[in-house]
Amino acid sequence: MAPTSTMTAEAVALQHYLDAQRASALMILDGLTDEQLRTSVLPSGWTPLGLIKHLGYAEHHWFQRVFRGTAADVPWPDDDEELMTSAHPVAEVFAFYREQCERGNALLATTPLDAKPAGRHGSDPDDEVADLRGIVLHMIEETARHLGHLDAARELLDGRTGLGPR
């Protein structure tokens, strides 16, 4: 979703950086086969597809559950959110991730950055996410952190490096 004219310059900048990280995650994995997306290359056992699922759950959690205080069900209600693998169809996992990103952007386009969340993130004693700004910054950090994982996995899977716009 493109930034709206009612968004502040800061909100537009934050969305730009978050969207850049999201796009990088998708670009890094572009061209991998279903088998490669489901292949773990590290002892921890996570897969590239599982990491995209995880990023979708993170978007869902922070923007819907924490900020809105409520969230629609995920497409796989019996799924283990912490499991960093996925047996779900590849297209469904990528569609889920994209949908959650769109929902986050819609929220950002219509909500002031200093708006307080209706929900909470577990026991969050440091109140890391005191407002929408903190949630967006957290998602930029969360997504960027996992881009390094995806970069390394891609290199181990087929030798390709330097993928993504950054």
Side-chain angles (χ1 to χ4, degrees), residues 56-57 59-66 68-77 81 96 99-100 103:
Y57 276 124
E59 295 266 351
H60 182 264
H61 174 75
W62 286 101
F63 288 115
Q64 304 304 312
R65 286 187 190 139
V66 174
R68 288 197 188 273
T70 184
D73 290 336
V74 295
W76 319 287
E81 288 187 46
F96 172 69
E99 177 186 351
Q100 297 311 309
R103 287 179 184 215

Side-chain angles (χ1 to χ4, degrees), residues 7-131:
M7 291 174 68
T8 65
E10 181 186 9
V12 170
L14 289 172
Q15 182 179 332
H16 167 78
Y17 283 101
L18 181 54
D19 282 343
Q21 301 308 307
R22 292 164 169 164
S24 290
L26 298 173
M27 291 174 79
I28 289 167
L29 300 182
D30 187 48
L32 290 179
T33 66
D34 282 17
E35 181 181 347
Q36 289 170 316
L37 288 167
R38 296 178 193 283
T39 299
S40 174
V41 294
L42 296 174
S44 59
W46 65 268
T47 66
L49 186 63
L51 193 49
I52 291 297
K53 182 185 78 170
H54 168 74
L55 287 172
Y57 276 124
E59 295 266 351
H60 182 264
H61 174 75
W62 286 101
F63 288 115
Q64 304 304 312
R65 286 187 190 139
V66 174
F67 187 79
R68 288 197 188 273
T70 184
D73 290 336
V74 295
W76 319 287
D78 296 326
D79 193 50
D80 181 351
E81 288 187 46
E82 299 300 313
L83 194 58
M84 301 284 278
T85 63
S86 180
H88 308 302
V90 169
E92 277 185 29
V93 174
F94 280 95
F96 172 69
Y97 178 59
R98 287 183 179 103
E99 177 186 351
Q100 297 311 309
C101 294
E102 289 171 11
R103 287 179 184 215
N105 282 353
L107 182 66
L108 188 54
T110 59
T111 310
L113 291 172
D114 60 355
K116 304 297 180 210
R120 291 191 59 82
H121 172 67
S123 59
D124 193 10
D126 299 325
D127 213 17
E128 171 190 2
V129 292
D131 55 21

